[in-house]
Amino acid sequence: MNDRIASPDSASLEATFDVLVVGGGHAGTEAAVAAARSGASVALVTGSLEQIGQLSCNPAIGGIAKGTVVREVDALGGIIARATDLASVQFRMLNVGKGPAVWAPRAQCDRGLYRRAVRQLLEAHDNLLTLQGMVARLLFDQSGERVAGVETVEGRRFGARAVVLTTGTFGRGTMHIGTGTQIRGGRAGEASSTLLGEQLDAVGLTTDRFKTGTPPRIDGRSVRLHELVEQPSEIDAFDYSWSHFWTSPRAEHGVHGVRTRHPQQMPCWLTWLEADGTALIAEHIAESAMYGGAIASRGPRYCPSVEDKVVKFPDKSRHQLFLEPEGHDTHELYVNGLSTSLPAPVQLALLRTVPGLDQVRMTRAGYAIEYDYYPPTQLAPTLASRAIAGLYFAGQVNGTTGYEEAAGQGVVAGLNAARWVQERDPVILGRETSYIGVLVDDLVTRGVDEPYRLFTSRSEFRLTVRQDNALSRLGPLADSYGLLTPSERTTMDERLDAVREAHRLASATSMTPVVADPLLVRMGSAPLAHAVRASELAKRHDVSLQALFTAAGVGADLPRDAVVGAELEIKYAGYFDKERLRASRLKAQGGIRLADTLDYAAMLTLSIEAREKLARVKPATLAQAGSIPGISPADLQNLVFELHRRVTVAE
């Protein structure tokens, strides 16, 4: 059979779209929204419409670095933060003890509310259609080199000028519970996809396997919660999306508006796996799917299974666990920190060693899952396949882990798929602009040897690329790409004006000793000898601009994010200036485009290693070339020389 099936004539297609997205997870939904906001006609095809936006693992959005990505996606017109605001049952700002530069938002969500919010936000776009079906294969044009649509296992055929694959863990997914139980599926209760993976193998794409896992769930009514440490919500202090009040795309046409309304908040609970539990795991380690030989694939190093924790840290007998609510319509709790592939009876025995859980009822067993991914060095920085024109990849199929990483890739792939169809310039976010830029650059230039997870340490620009300034960094870009509606543009302008007003107030407000000294004494800071500007006092490490505004009786109507952003710019101005100088240099390098047709083998001034790596990666810009491991500053300088020499010869 010809694996690159030519598309039939248009009469045999059920419908044709500019962009067709395969998969309804976090990558797929963001890809569909980005393409739709770009003006493309879009279809999202997924195995179950009821599972669109499903939180497959923990019911939480955000965290260290990840929370910044959520706000970046939000600034680009995405829906993950908005859906979170509509479904959040707990919100916490992590790292508040370390200073605002490293604060990280994280929210617990009601699973059911989150799914419904995502679907509502998708269907608010008139040019976006959601369809149910399991995609069996891609369709190609007559040349066999360009994607032309998809065919489902039900025999439905849809034409498309570009296709975005976001199949997550469904690509030939296999779930493991112990060494004797293997279940074909993309997640519990849902079938995996095999035919599409077989076709992609046959057309020459490189495929590999990773594994991930999930912990057991428990009945909260069987937990002695009074014995655990309660963690309340901080929802009154923070919000996720850049506007507490935002309007859906159709509201501008008088159809309806959507207001973010947080559900009733719920606490999380902290407990520990202790010595009895770690001893039980050690006793049954050979029955684990991972350690018993049933799984050979690599899993995420920074989100290890509980078996990994016990084997790799044998001297540590206590491991922290968080019991997280699944939502208001259930008593079920997610046991964060106990991801496992042990047999179900061992999992129950293990749970009952945990303080407060000695009589617990397990509602669902944890499991490990192996799935296909496609090494992302096969992709361009737009997340387009280098081998098949019009085909894009986003999410766990690129070897990443996490809802947030998937959402960030979805925006990039969906936006670029639409722009490719519209014959517009591609969008490549540089490392200096965002964590999304770091994520995509790492994937396509360095590849992955384990499931990729974002950390602040991956970014060279983490001082200036923060959660509080995501809107100022990316909002204007989103507007220039046509991703914002007029009402959203107005709201963005108001929020950015608030940051500027906080700066102005800081410079204009005089702090007299009478006003400032009581605050300074409480903060353990030296009292004033004379009046100074609030902007000068805010430079002190232990004095916050918000507290100064409160003492002076100004700025009460300013959003907290605006004041925090202004404070950071004041407090760390010198560091930020140095980082922005480096960012401007990298941006200048990003403006130097490198053609796919460059003959690196002929550039004899480059090292042999550099020639080989450049030929394999085919970087799109000089900045991307510089981020390839093994490319030295001397190689980069010689590459510039080679480019100039070729331009001179051509002239």
Side-chain angles (χ1 to χ4, degrees):
M1 183 184 73
N2 181 6
D3 293 298
R4 299 198 183 210
I5 301 172
S7 174
D9 61 83
S10 59
S12 65
L13 295 172
E14 188 171 324
T16 299
F17 305 91
D18 291 327
V19 177
L20 191 146
V21 179
V22 181
H26 304 278
T29 53
E30 297 296 351
V33 167
R37 281 179 173 257
S38 299
S41 61
V42 181
L44 184 151
V45 184
T46 186
S48 171
L49 291 179
E50 288 72 27
Q51 298 302 314
I52 286 177
Q54 171 73 315
L55 297 165
S56 300
C57 196
N58 62 317
I61 299 290
I64 309 300
K66 292 168 175 280
T68 305
V69 173
V70 173
R71 286 195 159 162
E72 291 177 351
V73 171
D74 185 52
L76 291 167
I79 61 174
I80 186 170
R82 297 177 176 186
T84 299
D85 281 342
L86 289 167
S88 178
V89 295
Q90 191 198 65
F91 188 97
R92 293 184 69 83
M93 188 67 78
L94 308 182
N95 277 351
V96 289
K98 298 182 180 179
V102 292
W103 286 5
R106 185 180 188 270
Q108 293 294 130
C109 292
D110 181 305
R111 287 187 191 273
L113 289 178
Y114 187 86
R115 285 197 310 271
R116 291 192 287 276
V118 169
R119 191 166 180 185
Q120 176 192 17
L121 292 166
L122 286 174
E123 295 185 357
H125 297 81
D126 291 328
N127 56 335
L128 195 165
L129 179 65
T130 54
L131 301 167
Q132 183 163 302
M134 181 70 75
V135 171
R137 59 186 61 85
L138 300 175
L139 303 177
F140 292 84
D141 67 3
Q142 294 299 325
S143 71
E145 302 301 320
R146 176 170 174 163
V147 72
V150 303
E151 181 178 346
T152 71
V153 294
E154 299 88 355
R156 303 174 73 185
R157 287 188 168 192
F158 300 97
R161 297 172 65 189
V163 173
V164 184
L165 288 184
T166 68
T167 49
T169 60
F170 282 76
R172 290 181 282 200
T174 301
M175 293 174 285
H176 298 263
I177 304 175
T179 55
T181 302
Q182 288 84 41
I183 305 166
R184 294 285 184 183
R187 59 179 166 232
E190 295 184 63
S192 59
S193 170
T194 58
L195 295 175
L196 182 59
E198 291 169 358
Q199 183 197 29
L200 293 176
D201 285 348
V203 300
L205 293 182
T206 301
T207 311
D208 210 333
R209 302 277 281 177
F210 273 157
K211 80 101 181 169
T212 188
T214 190
R217 275 70 155 176
I218 60 177
D219 185 341
R221 294 170 298 183
S222 62
V223 178
R224 293 200 301 277
L225 296 174
H226 65 277
E227 297 182 7
L228 310 183
V229 177
E230 181 177 351
Q231 285 197 319
S233 175
E234 299 171 341
I235 199 69
D236 292 335
F238 300 102
D239 210 339
Y240 233 138
S241 186
W242 46 270
S243 175
H244 289 278
F245 184 88
W246 55 271
T247 308
S248 74
R250 290 198 290 176
E252 293 176 354
H253 300 89
V255 179
H256 70 273
V258 180
R259 183 181 174 89
T260 57
R261 300 179 187 275
H262 298 294
Q264 180 183 349
Q265 298 298 284
M266 305 174 72
C268 290
W269 306 89
L270 174 63
T271 185
W272 289 267
L273 178 72
E274 298 187 326
D276 288 349
T278 58
L280 184 66
I281 293 169
E283 179 184 347
H284 292 275
I285 196 69
E287 299 171 52
S288 161
M290 184 173 175
Y291 284 92
I295 295 177
S297 307
R298 293 197 66 175
R301 181 171 26 134
Y302 298 103
C303 188
S305 67
V306 71
E307 294 98 303
D308 275 333
K309 294 176 185 178
V310 170
V311 170
K312 294 177 180 178
F313 306 101
D315 297 331
K316 188 174 181 179
S317 60
R318 200 176 196 227
H319 300 276
Q320 196 172 65
L321 304 177
F322 291 93
L323 306 187
E324 301 172 343
E326 298 267 332
H328 285 291
D329 59 355
T330 177
H331 293 287
E332 201 168 36
L333 298 175
Y334 178 95
V335 188
N336 194 342
L338 206 69
S339 177
T340 181
S341 62
L342 286 163
V346 178
Q347 292 186 36
L348 179 58
L350 178 62
L351 285 166
R352 289 181 172 173
T353 69
V354 175
L357 275 64
D358 56 293
Q359 296 298 317
V360 76
R361 295 187 292 268
M362 184 172 70
T363 55
R364 311 184 205 197
Y367 59 85
I369 182 169
E370 285 187 294
Y371 56 93
D372 285 352
Y373 81 95
Y374 300 88
T377 49
Q378 300 173 94
L379 304 177
T382 58
L383 297 183
S385 168
R386 296 186 185 277
I388 301 172
L391 182 63
Y392 294 74
F393 290 77
Q396 281 188 270
V397 291
N398 288 340
T400 63
T401 181
Y403 307 143
E404 303 81 5
E405 289 89 343
Q409 293 169 72
V411 172
V412 172
L415 174 59
N416 279 300
R419 292 177 72 89
W420 184 74
V421 166
Q422 297 160 348
E423 299 182 351
R424 298 160 70 190
D425 289 340
V427 171
I428 299 174
L429 298 175
R431 299 180 71 90
E432 78 283 0
T433 68
S434 57
Y435 274 98
I436 296 176
V438 171
L439 163 66
V440 173
D441 187 60
D442 280 353
L443 292 177
V444 301
T445 61
R446 304 181 183 193
V448 294
D449 56 10
E450 64 180 335
Y452 179 99
R453 181 179 181 180
L454 267 172
F455 296 98
T456 54
S457 59
R458 294 192 188 273
S459 173
E460 312 92 301
F461 305 100
R462 51 190 173 273
L463 288 179
T464 51
V465 176
R466 308 182 307 273
Q467 59 85 26
D468 65 276
N469 66 2
L471 182 61
S472 62
R473 288 185 283 114
L474 297 178
L477 282 177
D479 190 28
S480 70
Y481 301 147
L483 297 176
L484 302 184
T485 66
S487 66
E488 290 169 336
R489 188 181 309 120
T490 298
T491 302
M492 177 186 72
D493 290 342
E494 291 172 352
R495 294 301 293 263
L496 297 184
D497 284 345
V499 178
R500 287 187 283 269
E501 175 62 11
H503 275 284
R504 189 197 68 78
L505 268 181
S507 297
T509 301
S510 177
M511 304 295 298
T512 64
V514 171
V515 172
D517 283 355
L519 168 65
L520 298 177
V521 169
R522 287 199 305 273
M523 301 299 295
S525 190
L528 295 179
H530 54 79
V532 299
R533 300 293 179 187
S535 56
E536 285 300 312
L537 273 184
K539 292 178 181 178
R540 296 188 183 186
H541 177 71
D542 49 359
V543 177
S544 78
L545 184 60
Q546 185 73 65
L548 292 173
F549 280 176
T550 301
V554 299
D557 57 339
L558 291 174
R560 182 167 181 172
D561 274 358
V563 179
V564 167
E567 177 185 347
L568 288 170
E569 292 293 335
I570 292 168
K571 207 178 285 288
Y572 304 111
Y575 297 103
F576 290 175
D577 287 345
K578 291 178 182 178
E579 190 164 286
R580 288 187 175 117
L581 179 61
R582 289 193 292 113
S584 66
R585 290 171 179 165
L586 185 63
K587 186 176 181 180
Q589 290 181 338
I592 301 176
R593 299 286 177 178
L594 304 178
D596 277 349
T597 54
L598 282 175
D599 183 6
Y600 293 107
M603 298 181 181
L604 301 182
T605 61
L606 302 180
S607 66
I608 294 174
E609 180 185 14
R611 279 178 266 162
E612 291 174 347
K613 289 186 174 181
L614 289 166
R616 184 177 71 252
V617 175
K618 296 185 183 300
T621 67
L622 189 65
Q624 190 190 358
S627 68
I628 299 172
I631 302 297
S632 68
D635 287 323
L636 208 59
Q637 184 176 353
N638 288 336
L639 177 56
V640 172
F641 168 76
E642 294 281 359
L643 293 174
H644 284 311
R645 186 168 69 175
R646 278 158 177 73
V647 170
T648 302
V649 170
E651 292 175 346

